[in-house]
């Protein structure tokens, strides 16, 4: 017989042990070594079976053991220290509070929305890099004291657990997660009933959700759960699986995340007294509907749609994570129509205006589809990619939303991702730093609390603590690296044995696993999701050559591979099977392994234990690729295509760049062949020889120096603390200030001004451009001279303060396109004439040699615009964008050679 209901009977903690409850319910334990060690000592045998989850541990520990601990003075002392440490961490001033004390204008709170969060393996609500990044964002915000509120969904089946069939085919399993057995608490009303949010569905139906809270240090994470009794069976399943179901199911998930998420934040603030967020950060387009809910809120306060839109945009930040259109959620427009309007959600918000926000035709998309990323960009005044290269790719990909502007001027900036070092750095590596600078200072260096926000931070404070690694003796670094490699070998053998048992192998067949991997062999790691562009099987391009590398008599390598294919991606599953079948071959199976069920727990062993981290995506399809950052923080060297963050920070001192054939006139097969051969050559000629090149003391001195440079130079850059500081200073603070400037009256005025400008813009024109100077002679000029420009502009009925006239100048290529252009404003030189034309003048300094040119343009100008490109309106001399045909009087750009 089966139970009809399941629940956990927890022992009652003795009074002296009550602090264990608070310690277990705050996920700070997942990155605080002393607290984890405290829980391990509660039940050393039960800690591993509980998957390092204190909540489950306390639910299973015996009453007799608790009674014993309640009398253990040494344990009680450690418990008191851990409780005091958590209390100080939660309430003491940190970087954000210090910035406020210094007079910085920062938001009272920030709401951070993401479809997945990878905080700890004990809360499996993530599938890959996006979720891990979101989890690290919350943890770094907590360390810095940033008043963030995370918002997501609680998936009762999580993503999926992966195993392999006997022939290597991926199999998915969806264990049911009981929120009562997770480190979560229900958000409740004052009368004790669970707080609810509700969405209206077509046909008079409703979608209800309760709100679970996870405490990520100082940061609350709100997770909406539709598995409640008020819902019909179909609605109960809305939050069943991460990235599961068809379009209607995904749309409901994203409506619940965005619209329901805003309502959950409002409920949380009402019930706890927490400050209302001034800034809403949308982490990828899945949560984009949150902007529509905020428009609905303001419409209820009397603002029209356009005025509400301006207010919402001012306080919104949108982060795009995909470099390809195929990675963006898109819905049939009719499906969107069915769920919104008078018979669905957001009654009173015009459906046609909603559809306009998601219209992707400007980016070359389909008129029948609703694009979530496009809507996210239109609902946010500030947007960013997640590496410098990805920012450039995003500006190109979405440039159609800003016609007439070069991609470089598209208002999408970049904040390069970072990783939360206390989560990902092995205790042995932390111990090295603690011996040099002390435990507290080592922890501060890992959080990045004092690191400057730039990509090349100044060498003060925390950075001197990273520099301390230079004083470590070679033998100590090498002994630590070998110990970590040995731990990985042990972990791999255990996981490989369990995997083969699940594949149906008997104990007698598996004696060979005791010889898998060698702690003294160069170890390469490769672990990530398995979409085709990440090229899991590029290493198999020439199997004979790879086999020779694995079995080299003097310089062998060994490779540990892990990764999940999406359940609906049979192509990805075939790649997994291809890799698994090669790794199953008796000749090489002791040198290459595939570990199923890649997740955070495995990753925390894998990154430190590898010597080299391999990444070989199709460039530039990797937005950032933070796995290599986690490896680097443990002294692992990167071997990667120059994509994502590696393109930005690569130096030969701490890794190798795989040459790529991007841009070449080669087909995909030829490109893979070229890049695979380049990979093999790097390992054969540079990586392996350096690892095995030993000095007089038997140490690979040049390799150790690369490890040292990786820690000292890359360490401070790849921290999530650096990333979150950049978000605060470059995006959150300006967004909060912009939002504060838009009271209802100002929002209405800004919306009316934009409407006026858009209506008048077709009549705005550059009528005449002339040079008034003696320095130009037959199309040439001397360095250091200047041109005096005079430009006549038809304002089309606008006022002079509504526009800015600019000269845009720079080098030119063979097709006269401006390169590295700079824009300089020209000043009005008199009143408007009878034909509504205005004269503008200004100098153009010639500060570069070689082919040089300029043009002029007119942009809308208003103090509340974040950039001149915000409206996507520009008038050029040839009238190509926003200008008028007809009368022209010598309007032209000038080219100097």
């Amino acid at each position: 017989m089966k139970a009809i209901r399941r629940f956990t009977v927890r022992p009652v903690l003795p009074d002296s042990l009550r602090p264990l409850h608070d310690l277990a319910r705050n996920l700070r334990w997942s990155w605080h070594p002393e607290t984890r060690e405290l829980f391990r000592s509660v039940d050393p045998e039960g800690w591993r079976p509980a998957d390092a989850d204190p909540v489950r541990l306390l639910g299973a520990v015996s009453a007799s053991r608790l009674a014993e601990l309640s009398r253990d003075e040494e344990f009680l002392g450690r418990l008191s220290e851990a409780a005091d440490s958590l209390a100080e961490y939660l309430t003491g001033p940190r970087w954000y509070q210090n910035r406020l004390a210094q007079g910085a204008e920062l938001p009272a709170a920030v709401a951070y929305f993401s479809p997945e969060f990878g905080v700890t393996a004990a809360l499996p609500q993530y599938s890959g890099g996006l979720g891990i990044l979101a989890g690290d964002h919350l943890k770094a915000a907590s360390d810095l004291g940033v008043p963030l509120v995370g918002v997501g969904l609680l998936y009762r089946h999580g993503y999926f657990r992966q195993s392999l069939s006997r022939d290597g085919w991926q199999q998915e399993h969806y264990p049911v997660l009981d929120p009562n057995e997770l480190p979560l608490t229900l958000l409740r009303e004052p009368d004790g009933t669970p707080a609810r949010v509700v969405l209206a569905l077509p046909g008079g139906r409703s979608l209800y959700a309760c709100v679970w809270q996870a405490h990520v240090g100082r940061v609350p994470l709100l997770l909406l759960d539709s598995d409640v009794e008020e819902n019909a069976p179909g609605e109960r399943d809305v939050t069943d699986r991460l990235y599961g179901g068809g379009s209607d199911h995904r749309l409901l998930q994203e409506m619940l995340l965005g619209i329901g998420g805003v309502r959950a934040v409002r409920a949380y603030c009402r019930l706890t007294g927490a400050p209302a967020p001034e800034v809403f950060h949308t982490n990828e387009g899945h949560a984009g509907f949150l902007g529509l809910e905020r428009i609905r809120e303001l419409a209820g306060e009397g603002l029209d749609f356009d005025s509400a839109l301006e207010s919402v945009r001012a306080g919104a930040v949108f982060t795009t994570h995909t470099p390809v259109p195929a990675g963006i959620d898109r819905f049939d427009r009719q499906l969107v129509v069915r769920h919104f309007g008078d018979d669905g959600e957001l009654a009173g918000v015009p459906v046609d205006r909603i559809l306009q926000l998601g219209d992707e035709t400007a980016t070359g998309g389909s008129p029948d589809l609703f694009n979530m990323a496009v809507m996210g960009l239109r609902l946010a005044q500030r947007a960013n990619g997640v590496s410098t290269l990805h920012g450039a790719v995003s500006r190109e990909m979405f440039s159609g939303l800003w016609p007439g502007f070069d991609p470089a001027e598209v208002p999408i900036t970049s904040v390069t991702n970072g990783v939360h070092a206390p989560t990902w750095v092995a205790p042995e590596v932390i111990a090295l730093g603690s011996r040099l600078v002390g435990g507290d200072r080592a922890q501060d260096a890992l959080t990045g609390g004092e690191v400057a926000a730039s990509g090349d931070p100044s060498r003060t404070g925390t950075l001197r603590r990273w520099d301390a690694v230079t004083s470590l003796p070679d033998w100590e670094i090498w002994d630590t690296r070998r110990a970590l490699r040995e731990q990985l070998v042990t972990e791999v053998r255990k996981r490989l044995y369990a995997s083969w048992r699940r594949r149906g192998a008997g104990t007698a067949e598996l004696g060979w696993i005791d010889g898998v991997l060698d702690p003294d062999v160069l170890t390469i790691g490769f672990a990530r999701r398995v979409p085709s562009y990440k090229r899991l099987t590029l290493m198999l391009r020439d199997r004979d050559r790879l086999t020779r590398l694995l079995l080299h008599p003097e310089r062998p390598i060994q490779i540990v591979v892990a990764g999940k294919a999406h359940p609906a991606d049979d192509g990805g599953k075939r790649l997994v099977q291809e890799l698994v079948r090669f790794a199953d071959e008796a000749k090489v199976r002791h040198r290459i392994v595939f570990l199923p069920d890649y997740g955070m727990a495995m990753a925390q062993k894998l990154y430190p234990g590898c010597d080299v981290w391999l990444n070989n995506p199709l460039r530039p399809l990797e937005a950032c690729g933070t796995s290599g950052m986690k490896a680097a923080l443990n002294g692992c060297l990167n071997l990667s295509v120059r994509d994502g963050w590696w393109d930005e920070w690569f130096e030969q001192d701490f890794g190798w760049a795989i040459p790529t054939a991007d841009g070449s006139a080669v087909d995909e097969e030829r490109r893979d062949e070229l890049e695979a051969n380049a990979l093999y050559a790097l390992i054969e000629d540079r990586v392996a020889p350096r690892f095995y090149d030993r000095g007089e003391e038997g140490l690979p001195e040049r390799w150790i120096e690369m490890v040292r440079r990786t820690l000292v130079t890359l360490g401070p850059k790849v921290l999530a603390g650096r990333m979150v500081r950049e978000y605060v200073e470059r995006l959150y603070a300006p967004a909060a200030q912009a939002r504060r400037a838009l009271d209802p009256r100002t929002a209405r005025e800004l919306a009316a001004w934009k409407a006026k400008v858009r209506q008048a813009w077709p009549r705005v024109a550059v009528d005449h451009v002339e040079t008034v100077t003696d320095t130009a002679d037959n199309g040439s000029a001397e360095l250091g001279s200047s041109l005096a420009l005079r430009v006549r502009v038809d304002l089309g009925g606008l006022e002079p303060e509504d526009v800015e006239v600019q000269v845009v100048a720079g080098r030119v290529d063979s097709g006269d396109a401006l390169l590295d252009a700079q824009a300089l404003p020209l000043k009005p030189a008199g009143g408007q004439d009878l034909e509504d034309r205005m004269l503008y003048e200004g100098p153009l300094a010639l500060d570069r040699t070689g082919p040089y040119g300029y043009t002029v343009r007119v942009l809308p100008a208003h103090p509340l615009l974040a950039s001149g490109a915000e409206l996507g309106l520009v008038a050029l001399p040839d009238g190509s964008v926003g200008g008028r045909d007809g009368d022209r009087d010598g309007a032209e750009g000038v080219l100097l050679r």
Side-chain angles (χ1 to χ4, degrees):
M1 294 184 291
K2 290 187 177 182
I4 62 171
R5 187 176 179 185
R6 170 180 170 161
F7 51 90
T8 299
V9 180
R10 301 187 185 280
V12 178
L13 293 175
D15 288 344
S16 60
L17 299 182
R18 289 292 173 85
L20 284 173
H21 179 272
D22 291 336
L23 289 171
R25 290 288 173 176
N26 193 302
L27 295 176
R28 186 201 182 213
W29 61 258
S30 68
W31 72 89
H32 190 249
E34 291 81 3
T35 305
R36 288 202 306 274
E37 180 58 28
L38 178 74
F39 279 111
R40 189 199 67 79
S41 66
V42 169
D43 183 2
E45 296 300 322
W47 181 242
R48 181 72 186 190
D51 292 324
D53 178 356
V55 171
R56 292 194 180 192
L57 182 78
L58 293 180
V61 68
S62 67
S64 60
R65 175 57 178 162
L66 292 176
E68 179 184 347
L69 289 172
S70 70
R71 299 186 298 270
D72 186 332
E73 294 299 328
E74 187 272 338
F75 180 84
L76 293 177
R78 292 167 57 206
L79 175 59
S80 178
E81 290 179 3
D84 290 345
S85 173
L86 178 62
E88 191 283 327
Y89 177 86
L90 296 178
T91 59
R94 307 190 75 79
W95 170 82
Y96 198 86
Q97 289 69 41
N98 292 336
R99 292 286 291 121
L100 287 170
Q102 295 163 3
E105 294 187 45
L106 303 175
V110 176
Y112 179 88
F113 287 65
S114 178
E116 52 177 298
F117 287 91
V119 179
T120 168
L123 189 62
Q125 300 293 306
Y126 61 92
S127 71
L130 178 68
I132 300 300
L133 180 278
D136 282 6
H137 195 109
L138 298 194
K139 288 182 273 191
S142 174
D143 291 339
L144 296 175
V146 180
L148 206 71
V149 179
V151 184
L153 301 179
L154 179 68
Y155 305 98
R156 288 301 183 103
H157 295 278
Y159 188 44
F160 69 88
R161 304 296 299 270
Q162 177 198 45
S163 63
L164 300 172
S165 68
R166 186 68 190 230
D167 66 351
W169 188 255
Q170 172 179 297
Q171 298 177 318
E172 298 90 29
H173 312 276
Y174 293 90
V176 178
L177 301 175
D178 181 354
N180 295 291
E181 295 180 353
L182 299 174
L184 300 170
T185 56
L186 267 177
L187 181 66
R188 294 184 180 274
E189 297 290 346
D191 64 2
T193 60
R196 291 281 195 265
V197 299
V198 58
L199 273 66
L201 300 182
R205 297 174 297 131
S206 296
L207 171 62
Y208 294 88
C210 62
V211 183
W212 295 91
Q213 300 177 77
H215 299 283
V216 186
R218 300 167 71 115
V219 172
L221 171 59
L222 310 179
L223 300 173
L224 282 77
D225 176 13
S226 70
D227 190 9
V228 296
E229 292 181 358
E230 294 93 329
N231 282 330
E235 282 72 53
R236 293 188 75 152
D237 289 342
V238 166
T239 56
D240 58 352
R241 298 179 182 180
L242 177 59
Y243 302 142
S247 291
D248 190 70
H249 185 264
R250 289 287 294 276
L251 180 63
L252 287 174
Q253 283 191 338
E254 298 189 8
M255 289 175 62
L256 182 60
L257 173 60
I259 299 170
V262 173
R263 296 173 186 174
V265 169
R266 302 305 188 206
Y268 172 80
C269 294
R270 171 175 57 83
L271 294 169
T272 64
E278 294 185 272
V279 175
F280 285 76
H281 184 175
T282 307
N283 190 37
E284 196 45 86
H286 309 282
F289 289 126
L290 74 88
L292 298 180
E293 168 63 7
R294 294 176 62 218
I295 289 174
R296 185 200 62 80
E297 290 179 328
L298 292 171
E301 298 173 12
L303 283 184
D304 62 278
F305 182 92
D306 290 312
S307 302
L309 174 61
E310 295 306 328
S311 182
V312 166
R313 290 185 71 254
V317 174
F318 177 76
T319 298
T320 174
H321 287 265
T322 178
V324 291
I328 297 170
D329 275 345
R330 302 152 81 207
F331 297 104
D332 185 275
R333 285 167 61 93
Q334 293 308 309
L335 181 63
V336 175
V337 169
R338 185 161 65 88
H339 279 279
F340 289 99
D342 293 336
D343 190 40
E345 253 306 331
L346 306 179
V349 179
V351 175
D352 61 326
R353 300 302 302 273
I354 295 174
L355 294 176
Q356 288 174 11
L357 290 170
D359 183 357
E360 66 175 18
T361 53
T363 59
S366 168
D368 298 324
L369 295 178
F370 184 92
N371 188 302
M372 295 295 290
V374 167
M375 178 179 67
L377 288 167
R378 286 179 171 142
L379 285 171
Q381 195 174 42
R382 288 162 181 83
N384 69 284
V386 292
S387 68
T388 298
L389 178 60
H390 179 236
V393 170
S394 299
R395 288 188 288 275
E396 183 75 44
M397 185 165 70
F398 294 110
S399 60
L401 299 178
W402 291 271
F405 290 90
D406 291 339
E409 292 188 289
V410 167
I412 300 175
T413 185
S414 63
V415 175
T416 302
N417 284 343
V419 297
H420 187 247
T423 297
W424 301 108
V425 176
E428 292 80 1
V429 177
I430 295 176
L432 285 177
S434 298
R435 286 199 294 274
L436 290 170
V437 299
D440 292 341
R441 291 186 174 186
Q443 285 293 327
D444 182 68
L446 292 176
T447 62
E450 298 175 11
V451 177
S454 66
D456 185 18
S458 60
R459 297 222 160 265
T460 58
T462 297
L463 292 180
R464 283 198 294 270
R465 296 167 195 168
W466 286 90
D467 284 341
V469 174
T470 59
S471 64
L472 282 171
D474 285 0
W475 67 265
E476 195 164 4
I477 292 176
W478 188 243
D479 283 356
T480 301
R481 292 294 314 143
R482 190 191 184 282
L484 293 170
R485 201 182 308 117
E486 193 166 31
Q487 289 180 21
L488 176 61
V489 169
T490 301
E491 182 78 5
V492 165
R493 290 174 181 173
K494 180 172 59 179
R495 287 179 177 271
L496 192 63
Y497 181 86
S499 173
W500 270 103
R501 290 287 288 157
R502 284 190 290 270
R503 293 174 70 182
T507 303
E509 300 177 66
L510 301 178
W512 60 272
I513 289 180
D514 292 337
V516 167
L517 304 190
D518 183 330
D520 292 310
V521 167
L522 170 62
T523 305
I524 298 175
F526 182 101
R528 51 192 37 87
R529 291 184 302 111
V530 191
S532 59
Y533 77 86
K534 291 181 182 285
R535 296 192 294 185
L536 170 72
T537 57
L538 186 70
M539 66 181 75
L540 302 181
R541 187 76 188 187
D542 185 337
R543 299 187 180 205
D544 290 340
R545 193 170 181 182
L546 175 60
T547 300
R548 290 195 297 271
L549 287 169
L550 294 169
L551 305 179
H552 194 284
E554 290 143 14
R555 298 191 299 273
I557 68 169
Q558 55 196 16
I559 305 175
V560 182
V561 184
K564 292 180 177 180
H566 188 280
D569 181 11
D570 282 351
K573 293 180 183 180
R574 281 191 289 271
L575 295 177
V576 170
Q577 185 179 50
E578 184 181 355
L579 194 289
V580 169
R581 286 179 170 176
F582 178 80
D584 285 350
E585 294 179 10
K587 186 177 182 180
V588 297
R589 64 188 182 186
H590 64 300
R591 285 283 187 259
I592 181 169
V593 297
F594 180 89
L595 300 179
D597 207 28
Y598 179 50
M600 289 186 71
M602 182 193 299
Q604 287 169 324
K605 291 289 187 181
L606 189 54
Y607 297 132
C610 291
D611 300 294
V612 172
W613 197 256
L614 175 62
N615 190 27
N616 47 230
L618 283 168
R619 188 180 189 272
L621 303 185
E622 184 87 276
C624 186
T626 55
S627 62
M629 294 179 171
K630 303 179 186 91
L633 281 171
N634 286 283
C636 178
L637 307 182
N638 274 268
L639 171 61
S640 175
V641 165
R642 289 194 61 166
D643 203 0
W645 75 275
W646 191 237
D647 181 73
E648 193 169 335
W649 290 330
F650 163 72
E651 292 181 20
Q652 293 183 352
D653 287 346
F654 40 75
W656 298 270
I658 302 170
T660 56
D662 50 304
S664 303
V666 295
D667 60 25
E668 186 175 318
E669 285 290 311
R670 178 61 175 159
R671 176 174 176 168
D672 284 355
E673 181 181 353
L674 290 171
E675 296 182 12
N677 287 333
L679 170 62
Y680 298 138
L682 273 174
I683 296 174
E684 288 172 340
D685 302 334
R686 297 176 62 187
V687 180
R690 180 156 297 192
F691 181 85
Y692 290 105
D693 179 17
R694 307 299 162 94
E696 294 181 0
E697 298 182 359
L699 299 176
E701 296 168 357
R702 291 196 299 164
W703 186 277
I704 294 170
E705 183 56 28
M706 291 181 74
V707 172
R708 195 180 270 115
R709 295 307 306 164
T710 292
L711 293 172
V712 171
T713 306
L714 273 183
K717 291 182 179 181
V718 302
L719 297 179
R722 182 271 314 154
M723 171 190 71
V724 171
R725 284 181 55 137
E726 286 195 45
Y727 273 109
V728 169
E729 294 172 343
R730 294 176 49 203
L731 296 171
Y732 295 166
Q737 293 160 22
R739 178 65 185 86
R740 291 168 187 170
L742 281 178
D743 56 33
R745 179 182 61 81
T746 308
R748 291 188 184 96
E749 291 174 351
L750 179 59
W753 177 84
K754 286 188 175 182
K756 178 187 73 171
V757 169
R758 290 190 177 102
Q759 184 177 12
W761 203 256
R763 301 189 302 274
V764 175
V766 178
D767 278 345
H768 180 73
V769 179
E770 64 180 31
T771 302
V772 185
T773 181
D774 296 328
T775 59
D777 181 18
N778 297 325
S780 64
E782 293 182 352
L783 179 67
S785 62
S786 64
L787 303 179
L789 300 179
R790 182 176 294 167
V791 179
R792 192 170 65 211
V793 176
D794 186 339
L795 296 180
L798 297 176
E799 300 299 323
E801 59 267 24
D802 294 329
V803 303
E804 180 173 290
V805 180
Q806 297 176 341
V807 56
V808 184
R811 301 184 191 278
V812 291
D813 63 15
S814 58
D816 293 343
L818 289 167
L819 308 174
D820 301 321
Q822 293 181 323
L824 303 170
L826 299 175
K827 295 181 179 180
Q832 294 172 252
D833 61 20
L834 294 178
E835 297 181 3
D836 207 23
R837 293 179 297 189
M838 190 84 179
L839 186 65
Y840 290 81
E841 292 181 345
L844 172 60
L846 304 179
D847 57 357
R848 308 179 207 181
T849 59
Y852 193 83
Y854 74 86
T855 189
V856 294
R857 66 182 182 185
V858 187
L859 303 177
H862 192 283
L864 295 178
L865 296 183
S867 77
E870 184 173 317
L871 272 69
L873 299 175
V874 59
L876 297 169
D878 61 3
S880 58
V881 179
R884 67 179 187 188
D885 297 329
D887 183 26
R888 294 287 171 209
D889 184 9
E892 60 182 4
V894 174
L895 177 67
L896 298 176
R897 296 187 182 276

